[in-house]
Amino acid sequence: MRKSLSAWSIGNPIPSILLFALLTIAGLLAFLELPITNMPNVAMPVVTVQLVQPGAPPSEIENQITRKVEGSLASLQGVRHVSSKIVEGVSLTTIEFALETDIDRAVNDTRDAVAKVRNQLPTTMEEPVVQRSEDNGEAILVYSVEAPEMSAEELSWFIDDSLHRELLSIVGVARVQRGGGIDREIGVTLDPATLSALGVTAAEVSRQLAQTQTDVPGGRVLLQGTEYALRTVGRAATVEQLRELRIAVAGGREVKLGDLGTVANGGAEARSVTRLDGRPAVTFSVYKSRAASEVSVARSVQQRLDELQQRRGDLKFRRIFSLVELTETGFRSTMYTFGEGTILTVLVVFAFLRDRRATAIAALTIPLSIIPTFLCMQWLGFTLNFVSLVAVSLVTGVLVDDAIVEIENIHRHMREGRGPREAALVASDEIGLAVVATTLVICAVFLPVGLMDGLPGQYFKQFGLTVAIAAFFSLAVARLITPMLASRLLRMPRHGHEQGDGPWTRRYLAAVEWTLRHRLKTVAIAVATLAASFALVPLLPSGFMPYQDFGQASVSVELPRGSSLADTDAAAQQVARILKARPEVAYALTTAGTGDGGVNRATVLAKLVPAHERALDERAFGNAMLPQLEALPDLRARFDNATGSKDLTLSLVSEDPADLARAAEALERQMRGLKGLSSVGSDSGQQQPEITVNVDSAKAAQLGITAQQIGDAINISTIGDNDNRLAKFDYDHRQVPIRVRLPREFGRDLGVLENLKLATADGGSVPLAAVATLRFGVGPTTIERYDRQRRIDLSANLDGIALGTALERIRALPAMRELPRSVSVLDTGDAEFMGELMASFLKAIGAGLLLVYSVQVLLYRDWLQPLTRMAALPLSIGGAFALMFLTGTEFGLPAMIGVLMLMGIADKNSILLVDYMLERMRAGAPRREAIVEACRVRARPIVMTSLAMAAGMLPTAIGAGLDAAFRAPMAIAVIGGLVSSTALSLVFMPVLFSCMRDVEEWLWARWRTHDAPPQPQPAAS
């Protein structure tokens, strides 16, 4: 007879002990080295194309640049979506490729596609910038810097140069971005009257400076045996020399640059203002690379800043916002709930076994299963992130399952009079197939989750594989370690042999006898119970991701278009003062001018005090403050979530901008009247006041003036030339741009603009009004496009309702039902992700069920009885829905994961029961006697394992720990399913088994009848 693995381990304990000792040491080392991140590292192949034409309005950029580039990009292989955002002077196009696309190839293909249409784009446009994103798009740290002894320009340069270099040398830092501050530049402010008198334009002055302020290499020369390098030096060494520079004007004359206006070494024109609690501030944000540990990067950055602060006593760094705190909170919370769950699991085992040694052996399974899992996670390139830690926290009770079954069975044989060693040998052999089956079923369920395709698969790969690996190690412990330790450490029970069934067991067996006598009634009750449970599904609130309190409130402030930066800054400070008056707010950071070309927008970030020190969470705080902010005149204020977006976003797309704008306006107006929605708004923005210059082509051609020349003259006169064409000045070991333009007051007088001089072909000059007409108009401030169509996003925050409920109410609005034919609703962002997720989960569930059935067919060599065991699955799901309904839990992504987890662990009860029923029948027992005996023997371990698993998840379900918003719905679903599957399967499974045996015997009889040889028929009389 071949010896089982458990019997071999009992006879040879050293190899098993050594194996798990090495795995534990290696797992602990891997745990210390695993990166800690908030979410899994999702390598999405995304490429961005930045197209810059300074001063150009969005509508002009869309027609002349963006549409042409999008048309070229749309033909690339593997492109999923092409989206663009266009603001004044800038178009940013994002190309999302299919997951299997190589990112390097995607970048090269994108660069080639842009190059094909480069000759069709305006010559004044800067060279396109094609790049891939090396970070996840969100800053993990934001610091403010104070240096009283440094000017704003000096502090800004310190961050851009020294601090930037210091932080980028840290492993894992991908990008450092400054906020606030002022860039240094040499400003040449020309006098319009002087220019007119001398017949020279601002564009000519700027181009002459660009040609003269340069150093040109001149080759080399050999003089008297020595080789010299030649270099032509044209740059002015000082600002004074720059003022003395000669500029050619009409009539062959020359004048000093200083005679044409003022030359000053100072700061560039501010387009944004950053303040911290009302004081001017300079900040910088730190972005990590995808594969880096957020916690390690944050610690390294803080350590480097501490060193800098010690070396430079005039510097003071202050961390004002951090997403790393959320990551650390989730990590600590998982460790707490893991420890609490382990303790509760052990207490449940002890309450049943009343044996300290047996309890210790069962409890040893948890660390011996979890710690080696960390080693496999390191090999697979996983991180300790939100998803993998959820898997660890929820699998706690599952891991001890196999060991409990083994220990309880050994205990039963010891109560029957066998010694520890004999009991361990007999019990481990008796229960071996059932233990292997239960664990392989769990692995069969979660392996498809780990192999899900698409974007959801990128996130849940680590969840499914972590659970499957931990379950596999728990099986190895149950077969190698548990029987071996039990054979040596357990002692004979004091009460001697088996004393008979207790009162609870007798009541249970009486119920089983009744169900076997009334099989039809029992099946009817089971079906009715199942139907009632599933009838609760429409009553459950539906959502996607549960709300999480990030401890900061973000407010978007918008003023009427045309407002100055000073007006926007004042409005932002007004909002900040209102927020600061609340006890929930620690401090506020304001940024007037959002960097998208408009100075009429601002953001206010309010850092909230820790959650235990305030009565309102982040969402409730925003809903409470919104009426007060909406009452402020001449501004629009809306609360965003921590990532700068809203809880709900709806996208409308169309090729007809007029229809799209009307539909979005009507829908936004009706959404504002819906109860449960707050901060309703759209990203269509206000209309930008414009001055259009309409060129008289006939007059311009007569004078030899081109539209390009007119555009350059206006652009350079108002904001200066393109940065890449500006002259450079050497200052403090760096090159500072020299920006030439007319005074800022120049733009306030339309008459001065009309008198702007333009050079003619014969060397003379004419005013702009001679060849063009200036008219006032309006145009869009921001244009968004999606898959080559115009897009408008409508967004809102939720106030006491679930996401699914809000979407149902919006879809029922008249504006949604009466959308123009040219306008359609688009699934983007979370909606698109949710669609992919549901499809992937359905595939994973289907594959999991098929694998569960296949595993049991292979193990038990039976085609019908696996269906009996799998009958526990619908019973468990019904219980999950019932507990979710009673607790008001949303049926969203976490609850789906919980339901998926139930598929693996709920089948355990039926496997243990049916396995023993078949074993007793093979030993010759009648069917009814085998069923009742199996219920008597296996009821105790089933209840023990179910209670142990429920106890392990109880801290998570009740919201214990620092961050249970995501994990609690999972645990609630699993606990509800465990309760129902345990209670119902213990009662209904014997009847289902009995009915299935009848079907098997009927099919067997039919098969034998068909295969029997034909019998001779008597002759007809």
Side-chain angles (χ1 to χ4, degrees), residues 684-705:
S684 60
Q686 307 172 45
Q687 291 292 301
Q688 164 71 47
E690 294 179 346
I691 297 176
T692 59
V693 181
N694 300 295
V695 180
D696 187 329
S697 56
K699 291 182 180 179
Q702 257 183 348
L703 297 171
I705 298 174

Side-chain angles (χ1 to χ4, degrees), residues 392-431:
V392 170
S393 63
L394 289 183
V395 82
T396 305
V398 179
L399 298 179
V400 77
D401 184 13
D402 294 338
I404 289 177
V405 173
E406 294 262 14
I407 289 292
E408 198 282 334
N409 207 37
I410 293 172
H411 247 248
R412 180 172 62 85
H413 282 282
M414 290 173 63
R415 290 195 302 271
E416 293 175 353
R418 292 185 175 89
R421 184 181 179 88
E422 182 185 1
L425 287 169
V426 174
S428 60
D429 184 65
E430 179 184 85
I431 204 72

Side-chain angles (χ1 to χ4, degrees), residues 75 94 108 151 195 244 253 272 340 407 584 600 698 759 782 995:
S75 61
T94 302
N108 292 331
S151 65
L195 292 180
E244 297 296 323
R253 295 174 296 166
S272 67
E340 293 165 354
I407 289 292
E584 294 89 355
N600 67 318
T782 303
C995 294

Side-chain angles (χ1 to χ4, degrees), residues 454-468:
L455 184 60
Q458 294 282 306
Y459 282 96
F460 293 102
K461 174 183 179 181
Q462 299 192 25
F463 178 84
L465 293 184
T466 298
V467 173

Side-chain angles (χ1 to χ4, degrees), residues 539-541 802 881-891 972:
L539 304 178
L540 294 176
F881 292 151
L883 188 58
M884 289 170 61
F885 175 76
L886 293 175
T887 57
T889 303
E890 284 188 6
F891 185 55
I972 289 173

